[in-house]
Amino acid sequence: MSRVITNKPEVLVPAGTPEKLKVAIDYGADAVYIGGEAYGLRTRAANFSYDDMAVGVAYAHEHDAKVYVTANIVAHEGNTDGAGEFFRTLRDIGIDAAIVSDPALIEIAITEAPGLAVHLSTQASAANYETLNFWQKEGLERIVLGREVGIAEINEMQKHTDVEIEAFIHGAMCIGYSGRCTLSNHMSQRDANRGGCAQNCRWKYDLFEMPTLGDQDSEIKADEAFSMSAVDMCMIEHIPDLVEAGVNSLKIEGRMKTVHYVSTVANVYRKAVDSYCADPDNYELKPEWVDELWKIAQREMSTGFYYGVPDQDDELFGKRRKRPQYTFIGEVLAYDADQQIVTVQQRNNFGVDDTVEFYGPNFRHHQQVVADMWDDEGQAIDRAPHAMQIITFHCATPVQPGDFLRKQK
């Protein structure tokens, strides 16, 4: 008899807006993490008000999902003002945990908001079991590991601790240690460790020889001769290793990413985790899972530090080696099964004779050619060029509200 995995890990998906929270849960997330209007590291994201949080928590809990709030800044003098009220409000709203890195904020959350679970942020760089045990004794229920931790180290940690472990498994990787970097502070006057990162490591840089620094004639001519920009992480091919290592929560990066990204990563990792945990002895990686993630990739992908120290192939040197092939084009609003007509809210230009792909929760997919199209007044049109335009067209394969559409570039 095939064994069944009893310690199925949580699939944790980013939700930068209320819309993305709902999409993440609909597409398979066990939990989402969001930002509030203070104390988080994504000040440019469309962060949640308390009212937004309450609505999001209600929706998540109705669907047996959890909501975590990031409060992971490095606090300077004055930055802790009001933190007690903030954490108490999270608790009273029903937030399932706060993700915190600064010891002062951790202490405030534990002492002033009893009953609110606290998780240690990856910004704290936890990378050994002694550190995990220290934070567990301080009252934390879960540790988000530093992104420099490998599979072998996680296996060793599990021999010496029983605190929950969360690990990043997909998304952007930071050039700074566990996300801590001051490039933005010096070059853009924006404090990366208090939510203002300008992603200076993603900029293109020229490389000069020191004796002639600043002499444009000495510039080394090459395609992006020097770069600090890391490729993205992708562990879809290594779900068995993560599960067997006892990782409790598989975390996906991307609170500022699109609905297309959120729905796709939730869909893929949900399918992979369920497949492995249901029948690990006969588990098989499906090529379509990997292909699906490439449809929304922004950069090349690698396994980061999980199997060794990254090398030059884990940085974006020179020309891109692979590019995403699909554009997000719309959302299904309704489907008339009798007439076989789908109503779509357009997000990007498409039209008659285009081949489009529908996809939905539980990894449902189908492709078709758009044979006809009408606007919201019933007038026949060839293309839908206007953002958020409502259109209809024939669709023989049943689809559901909340399904999405994309097309190949």
Side-chain angles (χ1 to χ4, degrees), residues 14-240:
T17 65
E19 178 193 20
K20 294 172 190 174
L21 180 149
K22 182 179 183 298
V23 167
I25 293 169
D26 290 348
Y27 277 74
D30 296 302
V32 297
Y33 62 102
I34 67 176
E37 295 180 335
Y39 310 107
L41 282 179
R42 292 290 182 271
T43 56
R44 290 178 295 156
N47 292 311
F48 284 61
S49 67
Y50 291 139
D51 289 341
D52 290 336
M53 289 184 189
V55 173
V57 165
Y59 187 84
H61 290 178
E62 287 172 5
H63 294 81
D64 297 321
K66 296 180 179 180
V67 180
Y68 309 137
V69 171
T70 59
N72 51 351
I73 64 167
V74 174
H76 288 229
E77 290 299 332
N79 289 156
T80 61
D81 295 347
E85 180 181 359
F86 176 77
F87 289 121
R88 286 192 295 273
T89 304
L90 298 189
R91 177 199 61 192
D92 296 343
I93 287 173
I95 294 296
D96 295 283
I99 305 171
V100 193
S101 65
D102 190 277
L105 289 173
I106 290 172
E107 184 71 10
I108 291 170
I110 291 173
T111 58
E112 297 196 31
L116 175 67
V118 179
H119 298 171
L120 187 72
S121 169
T122 189
Q123 304 294 126
S125 304
N128 61 77
Y129 72 80
E130 290 94 340
T131 295
L132 272 61
N133 287 334
F134 169 83
W135 285 114
Q136 185 179 32
K137 290 176 183 177
E138 291 296 306
L140 276 65
E141 296 184 2
R142 179 185 291 183
I143 308 300
V144 186
L145 298 179
R147 302 192 199 190
E148 301 75 29
V149 175
I151 284 288
E153 293 175 298
I154 298 175
N155 282 313
E156 185 64 22
M157 290 174 183
Q158 294 288 13
K159 299 176 184 177
H160 303 281
T161 184
D162 60 359
V163 69
E164 288 188 7
I165 288 176
E166 180 175 306
F168 278 93
I169 57 129
H170 192 94
M173 292 191 289
C174 182
I175 199 69
Y177 197 93
S178 292
R180 294 177 297 176
C181 176
T182 58
L183 279 177
S184 183
N185 302 55
H186 291 288
M187 300 173 69
S188 307
Q189 290 75 55
R190 287 166 47 176
D191 192 338
N193 299 301
R194 285 190 286 175
C197 181
Q199 296 198 2
N200 303 67
C201 62
R202 304 292 186 189
W203 299 359
K204 291 185 178 181
Y205 293 88
D206 291 322
L207 182 63
F208 298 87
E209 294 182 13
M210 286 301 295
T212 56
L213 182 64
D215 180 359
Q216 295 298 314
D217 293 336
S218 69
E219 182 180 346
I220 297 175
K221 301 297 183 182
D223 292 327
E224 201 169 354
F226 178 69
S227 172
M228 291 177 286
S229 185
V231 303
D232 288 352
M233 179 186 292
C234 179
M235 287 290 286
I236 189 59
E237 298 182 27
H238 305 280
I239 294 300

